[in-house]
Amino acid sequence: MPVVEDFEECRPMLLGLAYRLLGSMWDAEDVVQEAWLRWEGTDRGAVREPRAFLVTVVSRLALDQLRSARVKREAYTGPWLPEPVMTSEAGPLDTAELRDTVSYATLYMMERLSPPERAVFVLREAFELPYDEIAEIVGSSAANARQMHHRASVRLAQGRDRFRPSTEEHAKLLVSFMRAAQRGDLAALTELLHEDVVSYNDGGGRVRAALRPIIGREKVLRLLEGLAERYRVTDSQMLDVNGTPAVFTRVDEVLRQLVLIDVRDGRISGIYAVLNPDKLAHVSRG
């Protein structure tokens, strides 16, 4: 029983780790299941600290999977967005760093990092591992791990506010945006959108969606105006997704989508619309 109990005690944390590394809960669950099989077949007498052992196994498995996943994502139809998950499924969120590294905008921006940089950033930022332990996991020196963490931190900080809006402020901005977008209210949208706003629409070839990011307020306004004229939102609900408010909508009573936003300077700087039905399985409705 201790074999099972030790693993189950760590499971939520391991899922949260794998999800941050992969941006996909489907893949994270596969990695954690593989880690269980390895744990089950390991001589426990040689394991001094189960948590450290399991973090190492999951991190290395996720790194291997991330390297192969990057090739598939480059061939993906349209922009690839992370798979959103209910906040309750994202593992422990006891610190600001754990919450920030599971936020949707951060997960998307982490796609810019190399797999080792992403692993170093997550293990250091969210799980506070020492650099020597991180170095052993990713196969580098502690000095190099420190440098990778610095590079990753700088890249992820570019174009983002140092201080994030409160949950209430974020929700209010999101609701105002959704209402204005559904009405096609360009004046209201102009006030809400940052001049450098980018809209990402992930249909994955399964659902019709923009095949490239839409960059800049004027282009995004034209996109939203066209969508308001063509489609009708028949249902919507606020959900707690990736640690922030999101809106789950049904369009023309058939198409489902989840909309999340990022905020900079008090305005919306990123719009993430997930329409690919394969990516909505871990977003449930109350």
Side-chain angles (χ1 to χ4, degrees):
M1 285 302 294
V3 175
V4 177
E5 290 172 356
D6 286 343
F7 189 87
E8 290 304 318
E9 183 178 347
C10 292
R11 182 184 289 274
M13 178 272 296
L14 296 174
L15 273 173
L17 169 60
Y19 175 65
R20 286 168 175 80
L21 292 176
L22 295 166
S24 165
M25 187 56 76
W26 288 109
D27 293 338
E29 289 172 341
D30 287 345
V31 162
V32 172
Q33 180 59 27
E34 177 63 27
W36 158 250
L37 295 175
R38 296 195 181 193
W39 171 248
E40 195 178 27
T42 296
D43 176 12
R44 244 73 61 199
V47 177
R48 289 180 296 178
E49 176 52 55
R51 184 182 188 278
F53 175 85
L54 291 169
V55 164
T56 297
V57 171
V58 166
S59 297
R60 288 176 176 170
L61 288 171
L63 266 173
D64 290 342
Q65 188 149 329
L66 184 58
R67 290 186 178 102
S68 61
R70 286 172 72 90
V71 177
K72 297 178 182 177
R73 292 173 188 179
E74 289 172 0
Y76 192 79
T77 302
W80 185 92
L81 293 179
E83 178 191 355
V85 298
M86 300 296 290
T87 299
S88 58
E89 295 184 23
L93 297 176
D94 302 329
T95 66
E97 291 77 15
L98 280 167
R99 294 190 72 86
D100 185 64
T101 52
V102 84
S103 78
Y104 202 76
T106 300
L107 283 174
Y108 177 73
M109 292 178 68
M110 282 198 288
E111 289 294 310
R112 305 176 183 180
L113 307 178
S114 69
E117 285 175 339
R118 184 167 183 162
V120 169
F121 179 80
V122 169
L123 290 168
R124 179 64 179 178
E125 199 75 11
F127 295 90
E128 301 179 331
L129 263 64
Y131 283 114
D132 56 345
E133 291 184 23
I134 296 173
E136 186 176 349
I137 289 172
V138 301
S140 74
S141 67
N144 193 34
R146 189 184 297 272
Q147 291 175 348
M148 282 192 282
H149 178 253
H150 175 72
R151 287 198 303 268
S153 299
V154 170
R155 293 188 71 181
L156 294 179
Q158 292 173 352
R160 302 196 72 191
D161 278 346
R162 181 179 177 184
F163 301 104
R164 313 300 294 160
S166 67
T167 299
E168 293 74 17
E169 292 168 336
H170 193 110
K172 183 178 179 181
L173 197 55
L174 176 58
V175 169
S176 297
F177 166 72
M178 294 300 295
R179 287 175 178 169
Q182 290 166 25
R183 296 195 308 265
D185 187 342
L186 298 185
L189 287 168
T190 299
E191 291 299 314
L192 292 167
L193 299 179
H194 195 283
E195 62 181 354
D196 297 324
V197 64
V198 183
S199 175
Y200 307 90
N201 299 268
D202 183 344
R206 299 281 310 279
V207 175
R208 186 175 181 180
L211 295 178
R212 293 181 179 83
I214 309 301
I215 303 172
R217 183 161 54 200
E218 292 304 315
K219 290 182 180 179
V220 172
L221 285 171
R222 289 199 295 271
L223 170 69
L224 294 172
E225 182 180 27
L227 292 175
E229 292 174 353
R230 186 166 186 170
Y231 299 104
R232 181 172 63 94
V233 173
T234 54
D235 186 22
S236 65
Q237 182 179 359
M238 185 77 77
L239 300 177
D240 188 1
V241 175
N242 287 82
T244 57
V247 172
F248 188 100
T249 67
R250 196 174 296 277
V251 181
D252 289 342
E253 300 183 355
V254 178
L255 180 66
R256 299 185 306 154
Q257 70 170 350
L258 186 79
V259 179
L260 307 98
I261 60 171
D262 194 21
V263 180
R264 176 155 51 104
D265 304 327
R267 294 189 172 188
I268 296 172
S269 59
I271 304 167
Y272 307 93
V274 183
L275 299 98
N276 185 345
D278 295 339
K279 292 188 176 182
L280 296 175
H282 285 93
V283 180
S284 61
R285 306 186 63 194

